[in-house]
Amino acid sequence: MDPAIQSIEFLARSEHRVMALEALLNKRLDRRDLRAVTGASDPTVGRVVRDFEDRSWIVRDGPHYELTPLGEFVADLFLNCVRE
């Protein structure tokens, strides 16, 4: 399967992933902020963060997470697709 399609499928399967990605597009957030934005439990936020780190979409700076250039690219493309 095409990696781009796999990324879209990965995001589309979880509302929490989409909300976290969109929130991180706007600013750096810590886990508490991500829980508040997504309404997800701490274990769920932990999985989202690990998944995003594994895909090199985010990096951690102290307690905060921010999108990498690749993460920004993915977020822009995905969010533009779902908004149209």
Side-chain angles (χ1 to χ4, degrees):
M1 183 182 290
D2 184 304
I5 292 173
Q6 288 176 336
S7 293
I8 291 168
E9 180 182 21
F10 167 76
L11 284 169
R13 287 182 172 215
S14 169
E15 186 177 339
H16 295 132
R17 291 179 193 137
V18 174
M19 289 189 292
L21 192 67
E22 187 169 20
L24 286 164
L25 190 56
N26 298 316
K27 62 182 175 178
R28 297 168 15 131
L29 299 171
D30 62 20
R31 284 174 70 127
R32 183 174 27 109
D33 296 329
L34 287 168
R35 282 194 314 271
V37 167
T38 62
S41 66
D42 193 46
T44 298
V45 168
R47 282 190 298 275
V48 168
V49 165
R50 281 189 304 278
D51 288 342
F52 285 3
E53 286 176 320
D54 290 347
R55 287 170 170 74
S56 300
W57 292 354
I58 63 170
V59 292
R60 184 174 178 184
D61 182 18
H64 294 97
Y65 298 93
E66 60 187 297
L67 292 178
T68 63
L70 176 60
E72 289 177 18
F73 178 75
V74 169
D76 284 336
L77 286 177
F78 181 81
L79 295 171
N80 284 333
C81 287
V82 297
R83 289 181 183 145
E84 292 182 4

